[in-house]
Amino acid sequence: MKTYLVTGGAGFIGSNFVYYLLKKYQDIQVVNVDKLTYAGNLENLKGLENDSRHIFVQADICDDQAIAKLFQQYEIDYVVNFAAESHVDRSILNPEIFVETNVQGTVNLLKHAKAAWTIGDDVYKAGVKFLQVSTDEVYGSLGEEGYFMETTPLCPHSPYSASKASADLFVQAFADTYRFPVNITRCSNNYGPYQFPEKLIPLIFNNTVHHKESPVYGDGLNVRDWLYVEDHCKGIDAVINKGRLGEVYNIGGHNERTNIFIVKTIIAYVKEHIDAAVGEHMITYVTDRKGHDRRYGIDPTKITDELGWYPETKFEDGIKKTLKWYSEHQEWIDHITSGKYQEYYKLMYEGR
Ligand code: NAD
Ligand code: DAU
């Protein structure tokens, strides 16, 4: 029986990944470690309450003793590190916590995984792996042409992407220095259920159903490469099982869209399915994000050729499924956007 240590498994992608794993594999155990920051929510894991294969532990990945204890308590085979501060706008407001969680937290996990898995000098227990969930943002921004490849130099611009790039360098350093068994995945923008409504798609959905303005940064022509979250989970699973040790794999599905296209798509969905009174008059162009990366676009050739991964969900289907899910989970949105989120929203958007 394999044991996965999944960090950040109460967040958006982490919770989707835990569901994915437990559905796909019967004979596994998932130790899910999450600090439960504003972005982590136990409601995301409600469907697993009666599944004894899922063990939830509230802890900070930076906590030396808590992480040491987990490796003593469980025979971990795989670490899948999702835990992070993940929102670019928050990193612009407050960079320090991004260094703590994303860099120091990753190094703490690497240190304890290495200690637990070592059986000789730079020799490790068979079959173990540390998978770092990274992002395409570490590559910086593209012009109108070209794609991010695994060989593209790292050129992060925001405090968030700088912290993720730093973490990647530490993961790579453990591989190079100690021959530690790692993989890094770098995925493009995810969308799907359980995404915190500070991010573009759930934020615009929630604003539209509440007849609030849809804030579009700058000219709305920045481009993101959107991938349905389950396809990301499948990519990570493929890399855990078949990825060559020490390698980086980009994950993305050639699905580039401008932000304004995404916003109009959401408004059109709400108009058709929920409330005929909404419309594009709700779009408001606001001051651009500082250092706003213009375009992201992933070249997924390596993961497709080596591991047979490809994106299975077409954007047209995935976005409908996603918006339907949000429309059926308004209580979930209301719950996680109450309290402190309102302060953040005011700070970010009022008078912008
Ligand atoms: P999220 O913000 O929804 O979830 C992050 C989770 O990590 C939360 O549950 C939070 O409580 C937890 N966490 C934060 N700090 C912690 C700490 N110190 N210790 C333990 N847990 C902590 O993020 P997400 O969008 O699900 O992203 C997950 C990972 O995937 C991140 O590493 C992110 O960089 C990466 N990623 C995200 C995307 C995307 O489009 N969302 C794309 C590519 C890569
Ligand atoms: O590319 C992968 C990255 O995608 C992940 O590493 C990050 O964790 C994730 O948050 C996401 O980053 P982005 O900055 O691309 O996502 P966000 O949803 O914040 O913004 C998407 C685009 O929409 C971006 O160009 C900014 C714009 N935007 C965003 C918000 C919240 C708006 O125009 N208005 C908004 O209100």
Side-chain angles (χ1 to χ4, degrees):
M1 187 183 71
K2 296 287 186 192
T3 300
Y4 293 70
L5 178 67
V6 173
T7 71
F12 164 45
I13 308 174
S15 60
N16 276 283
F17 183 70
V18 172
Y19 281 112
Y20 176 80
L21 273 184
L22 289 168
K23 192 168 166 203
K24 178 165 179 191
Y25 303 106
Q26 283 313 306
D27 193 21
I28 62 162
Q29 179 171 240
V30 175
V31 181
N32 182 350
V33 184
D34 198 297
K35 184 180 174 182
L36 298 181
T37 65
Y38 78 93
N41 191 341
L42 285 180
E43 275 184 57
N44 299 2
L45 299 164
K46 258 196 166 163
L48 298 172
E49 268 169 2
N50 298 319
D51 193 331
S52 58
R53 300 171 302 155
H54 177 242
I55 299 144
F56 182 79
V57 180
Q58 183 172 2
D60 186 334
I61 58 165
C62 303
D63 184 332
D64 207 34
Q65 286 183 6
I67 301 302
K69 193 171 155 200
L70 284 176
F71 278 98
Q72 282 156 15
Q73 231 175 328
Y74 300 100
E75 287 260 321
I76 311 283
D77 296 287
Y78 306 124
V79 174
V80 190
N81 184 26
F82 290 95
E85 288 292 333
S86 69
H87 193 34
V88 174
D89 290 323
R90 289 187 192 252
S91 81
I92 295 166
L93 294 170
N94 177 20
E96 289 91 339
I97 184 70
F98 286 74
V99 180
E100 267 171 49
T101 289
N102 300 1
V103 187
Q104 293 171 7
T106 300
V107 175
N108 192 40
L109 289 170
L110 284 165
K111 182 182 87 175
H112 287 291
K114 179 173 172 291
W117 291 344
T118 296
I119 53 173
D121 189 24
D122 294 346
V123 181
Y124 304 96
K125 209 179 131 182
V128 295
K129 185 178 279 192
F130 188 105
L131 188 138
Q132 174 69 2
V133 181
S134 186
T135 168
D136 59 358
E137 298 203 11
V138 299
Y139 297 121
S141 185
L142 292 165
E144 283 181 15
E145 305 275 307
Y147 298 99
F148 295 136
M149 301 183 64
E150 289 79 0
T151 48
T152 303
L154 302 188
C155 185
H157 295 130
S158 71
Y160 162 70
S161 53
S163 70
K164 292 295 289 186
S166 307
D168 285 13
L169 292 177
F170 274 101
V171 174
Q172 198 63 58
F174 266 62
D176 296 344
T177 308
Y178 311 113
R179 291 200 274 164
F180 192 62
V182 305
N183 280 125
I184 297 172
T185 55
R186 296 190 180 131
C187 190
S188 59
N189 284 62
N190 285 213
Y191 67 99
Y194 300 115
Q195 186 166 33
F196 195 87
E198 65 190 350
K199 307 281 166 58
L200 183 70
I201 290 179
L203 183 140
I204 298 295
F205 174 84
N206 194 35
N207 279 16
T208 307
V209 296
H210 287 101
H211 285 217
K212 279 168 80 175
E213 289 174 344
S214 288
V216 173
Y217 298 170
D219 62 6
L221 296 179
N222 297 62
V223 171
R224 296 294 182 263
D225 184 358
W226 294 93
L227 184 74
Y228 191 61
V229 63
E230 194 181 11
D231 281 327
H232 186 187
C233 295
K234 286 177 182 165
I236 291 172
D237 181 40
V239 174
I240 292 171
N241 288 300
K242 298 185 279 184
R244 284 185 294 129
L245 289 180
E247 294 292 314
V248 174
Y249 292 91
N250 284 351
I251 308 180
H254 284 305
N255 180 46
E256 293 182 39
R257 312 280 166 161
T258 60
N259 293 338
I260 192 66
F261 172 86
I262 296 287
V263 170
K264 288 182 177 176
T265 302
I266 298 167
I267 293 174
Y269 179 93
V270 174
K271 190 174 179 66
E272 185 183 345
H273 297 277
I274 303 173
D275 182 351
V278 308
E280 289 182 10
H281 61 276
M282 295 161 80
I283 294 172
T284 309
Y285 289 89
V286 301
T287 311
D288 208 354
R289 174 185 276 172
K290 287 179 198 285
H292 198 176
D293 287 338
R294 191 64 173 170
R295 175 179 160 241
Y296 301 147
I298 284 275
D299 180 344
T301 305
K302 181 174 173 180
I303 190 169
T304 301
D305 287 359
E306 281 190 21
L307 311 183
W309 177 90
Y310 64 97
E312 291 174 38
T313 303
K314 284 200 188 97
F315 181 74
E316 291 68 25
D317 301 330
I319 193 71
K320 280 188 201 136
K321 250 198 295 192
T322 300
L323 297 173
K324 185 167 186 289
W325 187 89
Y326 285 109
S327 67
E328 290 167 352
H329 291 79
Q330 190 60 52
E331 269 179 36
W332 176 88
I333 301 181
D334 292 344
H335 174 69
I336 65 171
T337 56
S338 62
K340 277 201 155 178
Y341 177 74
Q342 296 303 326
E343 286 167 35
Y344 164 80
Y345 191 89
K346 271 190 197 148
L347 183 68
M348 274 297 299
Y349 293 101
E350 277 188 9
R352 182 167 178 163

